[in-house]
Amino acid sequence: MTAPIIGITTGRITHKSGTRWTGIPESYVQAIQQVGGLPILLPYGITREDLQALIPHLDGILLSGGGDIDPRYFKGDHHETIDDIMPDRDQLEVGLVRYAAQNGLPFFGICRGCQVINVALGGNLYTHIPDQYPNALRHKNLPEEKGTHLAHSVTLEEGTLLLRVMGATHARVNSRHHQAVKDVAPGLKVNAYAEDNLIEGVELPDHPFGLAVQWHPEWLVDDPAMLALFQAFVDAARKTSSDKR
Ligand code: MN
């Protein structure tokens, strides 16, 4: 049986030689491969026409981590720390989320991906947690903290897909974000909160698989509960794939 094809959104990396690369950390690619998916990278500059031609071949979309979303998408407060805005990437990802939500195409958001999903469906963000959310935990990793560093715990909400997949009401997670979901988009449901009550995940009920977490499970796949997120996503994509054929 053909592996389900998972389109992974990409960011821009500037190599130390000054050359720009399109890509993402390989932990995303490996996590999808580990659970039987076939990852392909979606360049952020892809045209609308090419995307329309490509979408029927995709069985799932992974919205990866990255820089900040342009606040014009959600009328968010400008903040001096907002950086790494990529208009092409914002446009692609917002369009992909709306398409996937409306058409039952499985989608999984990680970190920035969680924020993009909320914004694309009509929610908004804290544009800099430390200045806008009183008594927040430190959600932004220190430069010396590795991707596997467990920064805080999350409580999973009863009755959510996230809890069904991970199988426990609490998890220790990494945390590498300075923005977060503020007002939840209509139709989305919160599935996890940090100890400071900041939203750490959302999902779309009555959809084959529309789920997002604010942490980075792709760094934590040695934890079976984290790997289970990728497995459930790819399994949903496989089902979508077989339904199409
Ligand atoms: Mn966090």
Side-chain angles (χ1 to χ4, degrees), residues 129 137-140 151-154 173-177 179-180 194 196 198-200 214-215:
I129 296 166
L137 296 167
R138 182 169 60 80
H139 286 271
K140 182 73 184 166
H152 62 76
S153 62
V154 291
V173 299
N174 45 11
S175 193
R176 305 172 75 80
H177 57 113
Q179 300 195 339
D196 57 8
L198 209 56
I199 292 169
E200 285 274 337
Q214 185 58 65
W215 67 91

Side-chain angles (χ1 to χ4, degrees), residues 96-156:
L96 280 172
V97 169
R98 289 176 182 162
Y99 176 90
Q102 284 167 13
N103 293 280
L105 181 64
F107 61 102
F108 183 20
I110 290 177
C111 196
R112 168 192 162 92
C114 180
Q115 298 166 6
V116 168
I117 289 166
N118 188 54
V119 165
L121 300 179
N124 62 17
L125 305 177
Y126 294 109
T127 48
H128 189 62
I129 296 166
D131 287 352
Q132 296 164 11
Y133 192 82
N135 304 313
L137 296 167
R138 182 169 60 80
H139 286 271
K140 182 73 184 166
N141 62 300
L142 299 173
E144 65 270 25
E145 286 172 348
K146 291 187 171 157
T148 51
H149 175 77
L150 299 176
H152 62 76
S153 62
V154 291
T155 302
L156 278 53

Side-chain angles (χ1 to χ4, degrees), residues 189-205:
K189 180 176 180 177
V190 176
N191 56 20
Y193 291 96
E195 295 112 301
D196 57 8
N197 288 322
L198 209 56
I199 292 169
E200 285 274 337
V202 292
E203 62 189 54
L204 187 61

